[in-house]
Amino acid sequence: MANRHLSRSVALQALFEWDFKGKAKGQLKEVAKRVVVDFAPGMDGTDFLYDLLFGVEKNLKSIDGLITKSAPDWPLEQITNVDRNVLRIGIYELKFGGSDDVPPKVAINEAIELAKTFGGASSGKFVNGVLGTIYKEMGEPRKNE
């Protein structure tokens, strides 16, 4: 498994637990350390993982606002914990993570794959729809890459 894909998987598991436990301030790093030990022992480098986690945490209010705006029929608290946190990772990479490093289509595809792997039967389609809406509203940067 590619290191960035593994980092996204670990980030999802850490965000899932952190979200489930009420998003306590200062707890995300401890949760992430435990998840790395339990699910990715020997993982090479954690810079990208922590960039995702702390980026989501720092921009959580804006990210959740984009989810609410882009999925108006789904109140945030009614979106499954997995789908909500996959969207948070995907939106962070699209809007806040520096698209020079991760092209938008890669961020969307990675989020869809996480949703298919960890979510329900319709998670991939839901994540694709929400992230696709946000990407279009951004003006589809780097569309031809």
Side-chain angles (χ1 to χ4, degrees), residues 56-126:
V56 168
E57 183 180 34
K58 177 182 175 187
N59 296 288
L60 188 63
K61 187 174 182 176
S62 297
I63 291 169
D64 284 354
L66 285 167
I67 295 170
T68 301
K69 179 182 174 193
S70 301
D73 294 338
W74 289 93
L76 195 61
E77 62 278 352
Q78 289 183 5
I79 297 172
T80 68
N81 192 328
V82 169
D83 292 354
R84 183 172 53 247
N85 285 293
V86 167
L87 286 169
R88 287 173 173 158
I89 293 168
I91 292 168
Y92 170 73
E93 287 196 86
L94 273 176
K95 296 282 286 184
F96 306 99
S99 63
D100 292 341
D101 192 31
V102 179
K105 290 182 181 182
V106 172
I108 293 169
N109 187 58
E110 285 287 327
I112 293 167
E113 291 304 314
L114 285 174
K116 287 179 180 178
T117 301
F118 294 99
S122 62
S123 292
K125 290 179 183 179
F126 177 68

Side-chain angles (χ1 to χ4, degrees), residues 11-26:
L12 174 60
Q13 292 173 65
L15 287 169
F16 180 98
E17 182 178 332
W18 178 70
D19 190 17
F20 183 78
K21 291 182 174 180
K23 300 185 292 285
K25 196 88 168 150

Side-chain angles (χ1 to χ4, degrees), residues 31 51 66:
V31 170
D51 178 56
L66 285 167

